[in-house]
Amino acid sequence: MPGKTAAPGSVRKKAAAAGPKTRAKREVVAPDLLEQSLAIITASLEDDKAEEIVVIDLAGRASFADRMVIATGLADRQIAAMAQHIERKLRDIGIKRVLVEGANGSDWVLLDTGDIVVHLFKPESRALYGLEKMWGAELDDSNEESVTRL
């Protein structure tokens, strides 16, 4: 085309330079399904002898989830079993897309249900990453009721 100059670089470089596309907003889940899922997750963790179970309310504070659950397991096998049990119990109530990261022998397993993010740690890793400090009530003086310890 006469008079038009092409910008240098490949298509991939141009896309990277343009930046990320805007993400679609997360769908709002019915409050009763959220509470039912949260109850199933915490009951499953208690049944599996998880320690120091903490639920953090993220509504209005984070766009990726409404709740965060943090729990400690003592061994890799226990943590992997807790993740499998949660995934199976959520599937039974119709939540089929649970993303699981680190379930094959890791110090930290993450389950993402879309509305609830579950972190399962070994004690050392939990202390190292300090998610309660990052997302907990200490961060917001006005949000004392956002953290529930079970």
Side-chain angles (χ1 to χ4, degrees):
M1 298 178 140
K4 190 171 188 180
T5 60
S10 69
V11 173
R12 180 175 283 165
K13 287 182 181 178
K14 289 176 188 176
K21 295 179 182 178
T22 58
R23 292 186 179 187
K25 291 230 177 211
R26 194 170 51 87
E27 291 181 26
V28 177
V29 69
D32 56 336
L33 182 60
L34 178 69
E35 293 306 319
Q36 180 185 11
S37 302
L38 187 60
I40 287 171
I41 291 168
T42 55
S44 179
L45 290 171
E46 288 172 349
D47 291 346
D48 289 338
K49 307 292 189 255
E51 297 180 353
E52 301 178 47
I53 303 169
V54 175
V55 178
I56 301 174
D57 185 2
L58 298 177
R61 299 172 65 196
S63 62
F64 60 88
D66 291 329
R67 303 284 188 282
M68 180 183 296
V69 179
I70 304 170
T72 301
L74 300 178
D76 293 344
R77 189 171 275 208
Q78 180 192 15
I79 292 171
M82 288 190 293
Q84 288 174 351
H85 295 160
I86 290 170
E87 186 178 15
R88 187 186 68 235
K89 290 174 182 179
L90 291 175
R91 191 177 316 119
D92 291 346
I93 65 163
I95 300 174
K96 301 200 183 326
R97 294 194 60 196
V98 178
L99 302 173
V100 181
E101 295 286 330
N104 51 358
S106 177
D107 290 349
W108 180 5
V109 176
L110 180 133
L111 292 96
D112 185 354
T113 70
D115 300 305
I116 302 172
V117 176
V118 181
H119 298 276
L120 305 174
F121 287 105
K122 278 186 152 178
E124 309 83 38
S125 297
R126 185 171 180 168
L128 176 69
Y129 291 107
L131 292 182
E132 290 100 333
K133 291 179 185 173
M134 188 181 307
W135 290 101
E138 297 85 31
L139 199 61
D140 298 338
D141 291 334
S142 64
N143 223 357
E144 289 295 322
E145 69 277 354
S146 68
V147 176
T148 307
R149 296 185 185 279
L150 301 177

